Amino acid sequence: MEAGHAGYCASKHAVAGLSKAMALDLGQYGITVNYVMPGLIATPMAIDTTIRADRGLECGRLGRIGEPEDIAE
């Protein structure tokens, strides 16, 4: 995490909280709720390849930067 990303961080955590609350509310109807919260993914948001390479080893258990295809087609 770095300075200047408060809104981004807040939105990621909001998705996690919303998903947990929805799971509690909808579980009684047999509905499950899942969410995907990946680490660093090679997208236009991660512009600088040097920074991406350095952070990829820190952020993920894979030891590499994730690719969009790792999450979905």
Side-chain angles (χ1 to χ4, degrees):
M1 189 177 337
E2 61 189 50
H5 290 92
Y8 176 76
C9 291
S11 67
K12 295 226 10 158
H13 288 283
V15 169
L18 177 62
S19 298
K20 290 175 185 177
M22 289 174 65
L24 290 172
D25 290 345
L26 300 173
Q28 63 185 325
Y29 303 107
I31 299 170
T32 58
V33 178
N34 299 298
Y35 66 100
V36 176
M37 187 173 284
L40 186 64
I41 301 297
T43 63
M45 186 173 162
I47 296 170
D48 186 340
T49 56
T50 303
I51 291 173
R52 282 192 283 160
D54 290 344
R55 288 192 193 151
L57 297 176
E58 293 174 11
C59 294
R61 294 178 190 238
L62 294 176
R64 65 175 176 80
I65 297 171
E67 296 294 331
E69 294 80 17
D70 293 333
I71 300 167
E73 291 184 21

